[in-house]
Amino acid sequence: MNPSPAFTGPAVEVRHLNVSLGGRKILRDISLAIPPGELVALIGPNGAGKTTLLRSLLGLIPIESGEVRLLGQPQLRQVISRIGYVPQRLALDTGLPLSVREFLALRQPGTRNWFWRRRGDLDAALPPIVQELGVTPLLDKTVSTLSGGQLQRTLIAFSLLNDPAILFLDEPTEGVDAPGERTFYEVISDIHRRHRLTVILVSHDLSMVHRHASWVVALNGRICCAGAPDDIIREDALKEAYGLHVTSYHHHHGHTH
């Protein structure tokens, strides 16, 4: 996986974004600018609009008003090849006997006609990121039989095959048990650091956010606050996003939370 081409402006720029769904206002006057190379966590209570914001940035939900630019471009189609996306859930047809190897081959232009290719040729065409994510031992497994953690690793590998400049992850540890969840954030953090990606993820795990994010946006229909983890993951800032019932979060270096 090669580093993405240098980009000097904001990787993501949002101006006065408003989104309504089913006649209900979900996002109100959202404005933010994310520099390239940040690992940004979107936090907030259930129903705060985190997934709606992510999907709006990707053009999957129509916006009511406002402007979205990814890598400086107002039209998603101009940069879609440089965007990676891992949804919260993926509906899979359990009757489709598609192996992980074949699933990954669908993403690469040179191997899309995988049914004509030998298995060794498909494996040779896979980039190093597949090995880095620990997906290589899964290549012969059927996608529909993967565990939650295995599926998420496969989806991340799939999203990174085209060397994107921005990776969006919607609650990437959904369906992954707690020990696997900790490891998973470490994998994402490592990919971000080594490949200089801009990563934007939705998360409920404040301890993992504090440990790995470089920037935090607290959302509850609007942006309540944004800044470095030390400034946002503290009692007064969290109360603004989560309401009066939030408990304070104390970070102790060197300890598990």
Side-chain angles (χ1 to χ4, degrees), residues 152-246:
Q152 288 298 70
R153 285 177 182 269
T154 300
L155 292 177
I156 289 181
F158 184 86
S159 70
L160 292 174
L161 288 178
N162 286 354
D163 294 348
I166 308 175
L167 177 63
F168 293 93
L169 302 116
D170 190 359
E171 294 196 55
T173 56
E174 180 77 12
V176 181
D177 61 17
E181 190 170 321
R182 287 193 291 272
T183 302
F184 207 78
Y185 276 107
E186 290 160 4
V187 168
I188 293 169
S189 179
D190 189 50
I191 290 171
H192 161 256
R193 182 175 59 254
R194 287 190 288 114
H195 297 290
R196 294 183 286 170
L197 282 169
T198 302
V199 178
I200 301 172
L201 62 86
V202 171
S203 180
H204 288 288
D205 190 327
L206 298 185
S207 66
M208 291 298 108
V209 166
H210 195 287
R211 188 174 302 166
H212 297 294
S214 60
W215 196 256
V216 180
V217 177
L219 191 71
N220 196 347
R222 59 182 179 85
I223 293 179
C224 302
C225 48
D230 281 339
D231 296 328
I232 302 303
I233 304 181
R234 62 185 197 189
E235 188 169 1
D236 55 344
L238 292 177
K239 278 185 177 179
E240 185 178 355
Y242 287 86
L244 296 177
H245 300 293
V246 70

Side-chain angles (χ1 to χ4, degrees), residues 1 20 39 52 56 60 85 95 102 107 121 148 164 175 247:
M1 184 173 178
S20 295
L39 197 166
T52 298
S56 298
L60 299 174
Y85 171 51
E102 293 159 351
R107 179 71 169 173
D121 293 338
T247 57

Side-chain angles (χ1 to χ4, degrees), residues 1-216:
M1 184 173 178
N2 299 317
S4 300
F7 182 74
T8 56
V12 177
E13 188 172 12
V14 182
R15 297 177 182 174
H16 306 295
L17 179 70
N18 291 278
V19 176
S20 295
L21 295 174
R24 185 168 68 93
K25 181 81 78 173
I26 305 298
L27 298 175
R28 299 182 298 276
D29 198 31
I30 302 292
S31 292
L32 57 88
I34 298 172
E38 299 284 351
L39 197 166
V40 179
L42 302 179
I43 67 170
N46 291 331
K50 303 181 296 296
T51 292
T52 298
L53 175 57
L54 209 68
R55 291 173 61 84
S56 298
L57 298 180
L58 292 163
L60 299 174
I61 292 177
I63 66 174
E64 185 177 347
S65 60
E67 183 181 10
V68 173
R69 289 177 178 264
L70 300 183
L71 301 173
Q73 298 295 332
Q75 299 295 325
L76 181 63
R77 64 176 179 271
Q78 296 175 306
V79 293
I80 191 65
S81 64
R82 301 183 65 198
I83 304 299
Y85 171 51
V86 179
Q88 187 178 116
R89 295 179 183 87
L90 181 66
L92 295 171
D93 183 353
T94 56
L96 182 64
L98 190 70
S99 72
V100 170
R101 176 184 291 103
E102 293 159 351
F103 176 69
L104 295 176
L106 295 173
R107 179 71 169 173
Q108 297 181 277
T111 59
R112 282 177 182 161
N113 296 324
W114 53 263
F115 41 85
W116 298 114
R117 306 289 295 274
R118 293 181 301 180
R119 188 173 69 175
D121 293 338
L122 294 178
D123 290 355
L126 292 173
I129 192 66
V130 176
Q131 177 69 40
E132 290 177 37
L133 283 166
V135 175
T136 303
L138 307 176
L139 292 176
D140 290 316
K141 288 182 174 288
T142 303
V143 174
S144 60
T145 64
L146 297 178
S147 69
Q150 291 171 338
L151 178 59
Q152 288 298 70
R153 285 177 182 269
T154 300
L155 292 177
I156 289 181
F158 184 86
S159 70
L160 292 174
L161 288 178
N162 286 354
D163 294 348
I166 308 175
L167 177 63
F168 293 93
L169 302 116
D170 190 359
E171 294 196 55
T173 56
E174 180 77 12
V176 181
D177 61 17
E181 190 170 321
R182 287 193 291 272
T183 302
F184 207 78
Y185 276 107
E186 290 160 4
V187 168
I188 293 169
S189 179
D190 189 50
I191 290 171
H192 161 256
R193 182 175 59 254
R194 287 190 288 114
H195 297 290
R196 294 183 286 170
L197 282 169
T198 302
V199 178
I200 301 172
L201 62 86
V202 171
S203 180
H204 288 288
D205 190 327
L206 298 185
S207 66
M208 291 298 108
V209 166
H210 195 287
R211 188 174 302 166
H212 297 294
S214 60
W215 196 256
V216 180

